[in-house]
Amino acid sequence: MASRYWVVSLPVQGSATASSLWNRLQEQISRHSFDTPLYRFNIPNLRVGTLDSLLSLSDDLLKSNNFMEGVSHKIRRQIEELERVTGVESNALTVDGVPVDSYLTRFVWDEARYPTMSPLKEIVDSLQGQVTKIEDDLKVRAAEYNNVRSQLNAINRKQSGSLAVRDLSNLVKPEDIVQSENLMTILAIVPKYSQKDWLSSYETLTSYVVPRSSKKLYEDNEYALYTVTLFRRVADNFRSNAREKGYQIRDFEYSSEAQDSQKQEQDKLVQDQENLRSSLLQWCYASYGEVFSSWMHFCAVRIFAESILRYGLPPSFLSCVLAPSTKSEKKVRSILEGLCDSTNSAYWKSEDDVGSMAGLGGDGDSHPYVSFTINLV
């Protein structure tokens, strides 16, 4: 599937017809750029309206196109991010089951949703309104998912970070802690390379430390977690002396209820995250199709309006879609230009040479025909 397409309209001049011009274009592409896919872009007879309304509409065409393209890319990136979490490759993006590239290259106007007798501005406003609503929904849904994900990440960081800051409840068992009227157990965070010093000195940091009571519970890349049992009345003195020696004393109170509650909260967040991820992913696939359909209908309006403004009335032009490779672009441009009026072509080329006119194509390039680019990714 190509990721970039040109939507082009060529003027039908003199005694020529759209069909004869199409045959000439096919022949030229086949002869000089055979690897360039070429398709008719079928646009219905839309309501022209007044020149003022067309000019007013044309002022916002590029801005509206960029907006719709931007929303489609946001949803596609969201799909990729959600699929990456599970390591699953993204499914093909579709519009009502039709792959997006096929929907573009075999575009059919939806008369039921967008009556061709409606004013062009009304159609564009309707399309833009639909895409705006979907973008707003995406923000709300993504924020809800990311909020749960952030909460879960915060819990995981607490459980997997350095011993200096992480939650210790899943490292300490009930049998590691002594709690009585006179005795208590303190948890010490000892630098990894100071463990020998700790074991040789902890009993002397204060009086009334239970001999040989220090036990290593866990070790990471920087620190080791030790217990030490002592009399309650000397606990503050022990803390103070331990800190002077570079050991960190972590306050900890074992509670099976708190551990169970924390585990339940984490399990609930894991389930909520998966439910929201699945729901958001399903919504994104459906909404991408909606946005892409709206965007292609907008492109049809855009090519129609710009063609009227470029070539005049009555509407007489051939619209098509091409997907040239990078190396074929210059040749294809030359073919398209050759099918336009030579006088018109020379005018646009001279304007392009002096850089004084960007043309009505909207992509910043000057051509003697209407042309703009659709980027699928």
Side-chain angles (χ1 to χ4, degrees), residues 298-317:
F298 170 81
C299 287
V301 173
R302 181 181 178 187
I303 201 81
F304 179 82
E306 292 186 358
S307 297
I308 298 298
L309 290 170
R310 177 72 69 88
Y311 311 133
L313 290 169
S316 184
F317 58 88

Side-chain angles (χ1 to χ4, degrees), residues 79-100:
I79 289 172
E80 290 171 353
E81 180 187 326
L82 293 169
E83 296 284 33
R84 195 160 47 240
V85 171
T86 57
V88 176
E89 191 172 331
S90 299
N91 294 324
L93 297 170
T94 65
V95 180
D96 293 331
V98 178
V100 291

Side-chain angles (χ1 to χ4, degrees), residues 68-279:
M68 294 188 192
E69 180 179 315
V71 175
S72 78
H73 291 176
K74 278 184 193 175
I75 297 175
R76 180 183 52 78
R77 286 193 297 268
Q78 182 70 72
I79 289 172
E80 290 171 353
E81 180 187 326
L82 293 169
E83 296 284 33
R84 195 160 47 240
V85 171
T86 57
V88 176
E89 191 172 331
S90 299
N91 294 324
L93 297 170
T94 65
V95 180
D96 293 331
V98 178
V100 291
D101 57 325
S102 297
Y103 185 86
L104 164 59
T105 56
R106 296 171 176 80
F107 175 75
V108 177
W109 183 272
D110 189 341
E111 174 69 23
R113 292 186 71 176
Y114 313 107
T116 51
M117 288 311 294
S118 300
L120 294 182
K121 187 176 187 314
E122 188 177 300
I123 294 175
V124 169
D125 287 348
S126 173
L127 293 167
Q128 187 139 344
Q130 290 164 16
V131 176
T132 299
K133 183 180 184 305
I134 289 174
E135 184 190 37
D136 290 342
D137 285 351
L138 174 63
K139 288 176 183 175
V140 172
R141 290 170 180 267
E144 186 179 11
Y145 168 72
N146 289 328
N147 180 43
V148 171
R149 193 177 172 193
S150 296
Q151 291 180 56
L152 199 53
N153 286 341
I155 290 175
N156 289 334
R157 278 196 300 272
K158 279 186 178 181
Q159 293 182 346
S160 61
S162 163
L163 280 170
V165 295
R166 69 173 288 176
D167 177 38
L168 303 177
S169 60
N170 61 338
L171 302 178
V172 183
K173 299 181 177 63
E175 57 266 29
D176 298 325
I177 302 296
V178 174
Q179 295 287 358
S180 69
E181 185 179 347
N182 294 314
L183 293 174
M184 68 179 295
T185 296
I186 282 178
L187 298 179
I189 309 299
V190 179
K192 187 173 182 177
Y193 299 107
S194 301
Q195 294 182 71
K196 283 186 180 179
D197 292 340
W198 164 261
L199 291 171
S200 65
S201 66
Y202 76 89
E203 294 178 10
T204 64
L205 289 176
T206 188
S207 55
Y208 300 109
V209 176
V210 176
R212 293 193 294 270
S213 65
S214 188
K215 173 185 169 187
K216 181 161 72 172
L217 303 183
Y218 183 81
E219 184 178 318
D220 64 17
N221 294 331
E222 299 177 86
Y223 300 100
L225 173 64
Y226 281 88
T227 62
V228 59
T229 303
L230 40 68
F231 278 74
R232 286 185 180 276
R233 61 184 175 175
V234 297
D236 288 342
N237 193 36
F238 184 90
R239 287 191 184 95
S240 177
N241 293 336
R243 286 179 181 130
E244 286 181 10
K245 293 283 188 179
Y247 308 126
Q248 181 184 347
I249 304 302
R250 292 284 304 273
D251 293 325
F252 180 81
E253 184 176 336
Y254 185 84
S255 167
S256 59
E257 292 83 2
Q259 272 197 303
D260 290 343
S261 174
Q262 189 178 58
K263 181 72 168 62
Q264 287 174 8
E265 180 190 2
Q266 186 175 2
D267 290 346
K268 183 178 183 302
L269 284 172
V270 168
Q271 189 59 52
D272 287 348
Q273 178 183 246
E274 179 53 31
N275 290 341
L276 287 169
R277 190 199 73 82
S278 178
S279 172

